[in-house]
Amino acid sequence: MIDIENIVTEIAEEMRAHKDRGTVASYIPPLACVPDSKFGVAVVMADGTIHSAGDADEAFSIQSISKVFALTLALGAVGDQLWNRVGREPSGTPFNSIVQLETEHGIPRNPFINAGAIVLCDVLLGRHQPREAIGQMLRFVRTLSGDDAIAIDETVAGGEQDTGFRNRALANYMRAFGNIHAPVERVLGTYFHFCALAMSCRQLALAGRFLMDGGRVDGHSIVTASRARRINALMMSCGHYDNSGDFAFRVGLPGKSGVGGGILSVVPGVASIAVWSPGLNPSGNSQLGTLALERLVQRTGWSVFEPR
Ligand code: GLN
């Protein structure tokens, strides 16, 4: 019998004491103020029990983890037609890279790099104004988590508006290929607000339950089982940018990171896990978050590549 409560407590203690913590993102100014001493972990089990340790109840900027929720909403809006505008292959390039867009005619490699998520936002704006799309996202994560306290950090959204020149370049470049339809500033305003969602590890792990449980939460269907399976597949192959292969090698679970230092990871049928430590590795993924997940999987045997 796995003592998950004890394992998360132990891991939080080990991470607190760990010296090499990575580097906090500073290109979005409000993120640079978050102390690198933070560490949180929350594990929601299939039966609903929650095990957490460290700063698991402190909200942080979920950043690119929002791409998982944006993908779910965009698939809900247009279904498999989405794949005419976004690919499903790992990019092998940094999250904000523009290089592949030229040879690949403005079609981003996958929905979990910035260019891909900007297309997701454009898809959602096919039917809505930015304010409505942002409201839809907020309602969605609140419903998934069962927590109406989740909010968007306007300071972070503003910081991204002020400094998001690469994202503007990506959006304009894709617009030149006809793969962005709405005005670029509206698409980016939506994208920046999604990235600026503030959630705790507990809220995030709760929001990931539908991916653990074949698309369902508390018996309600959020997406079909096959869609949940496919989202998990994309998280495994593309959720950590040019580090996705290494994450699969070390952790062996579907996972999505954000430059706020969070990672949402799913053990299908078993658990939904969120970790947070703001220091990043050179690919922009949480250094200690990855190490914590690696140790969790070693101690539980939860990798999808191990027999259960
Ligand atoms: N908001 C960030 C950006 O657009 C998201 C990147 C990330 O979390 N990897 O650069």
Side-chain angles (χ1 to χ4, degrees), residues 17-279:
H18 204 85
K19 292 274 178 295
D20 180 12
R21 307 186 76 83
T23 310
V24 178
S26 56
Y27 76 102
I28 301 169
L31 297 186
C33 313
V34 183
D36 73 356
S37 55
K38 299 284 179 189
F39 177 82
V41 52
V43 178
V44 179
M45 304 296 293
D47 67 4
T49 52
I50 303 181
H51 305 277
S52 66
D55 303 305
D57 288 305
E58 185 168 333
F60 61 90
S61 190
I62 74 164
Q63 291 292 317
S64 284
I65 303 170
S66 65
K67 293 172 168 78
V68 174
F69 307 116
L71 172 64
T72 309
L73 289 176
L75 284 168
V78 299
D80 284 342
Q81 282 179 15
L82 180 69
W83 306 120
N84 298 326
R85 296 180 59 186
V86 190
R88 304 192 292 256
E89 294 294 345
S91 67
T93 57
F95 62 86
N96 55 9
S97 175
I98 201 167
V99 289
Q100 287 161 343
L101 284 178
E102 177 158 28
T103 48
E104 297 178 6
H105 311 288
I107 308 287
R109 274 284 173 100
N110 68 67
F112 293 153
I113 50 175
N114 287 13
I118 290 168
V119 171
L120 301 177
C121 291
D122 189 63
V123 166
L124 294 173
L125 292 179
R127 300 177 177 195
H128 296 296
Q129 294 299 314
R131 189 192 303 252
E132 293 164 343
I134 294 163
Q136 184 190 16
M137 171 61 88
L138 202 47
R139 279 194 302 281
F140 186 47
V141 292
R142 285 175 175 172
T143 304
L144 290 175
S145 309
D147 192 337
D148 282 346
I150 296 169
I152 287 171
D153 184 332
E154 287 295 339
T155 310
V156 173
E160 300 213 40
Q161 292 275 13
D162 294 343
T163 58
F165 302 111
R166 288 189 80 107
N167 289 321
R168 279 193 182 85
L170 293 170
N172 278 299
Y173 203 50
M174 290 190 289
R175 190 167 165 131
F177 284 102
N179 199 19
I180 292 291
H181 306 156
V184 161
E185 281 307 315
R186 288 194 196 184
V187 180
L188 289 171
T190 306
Y191 172 79
F192 293 143
H193 279 82
F194 287 2
C195 290
L197 270 164
M199 292 169 75
S200 67
C201 288
R202 177 184 299 269
Q203 291 166 332
L204 201 51
L206 284 166
R209 284 175 299 172
F210 77 108
L211 296 171
M212 145 175 78
D213 197 16
R216 289 180 303 271
V217 176
D218 296 334
H220 300 287
S221 176
I222 306 293
V223 297
T224 62
S226 73
R227 184 161 288 169
R229 190 188 70 222
R230 287 169 158 189
I231 295 170
N232 281 331
L234 289 165
M235 287 170 72
M236 176 73 89
S237 57
C238 312
H240 283 72
Y241 322 111
D242 47 338
N243 225 198
S244 300
D246 196 55
F247 186 83
F249 181 84
R250 289 176 58 192
V251 178
L253 291 174
K256 182 73 203 85
S257 67
V259 289
I263 302 175
L264 172 64
S265 208
V266 180
V267 193
V270 177
S272 170
I273 309 167
V275 290
W276 172 50
S277 172

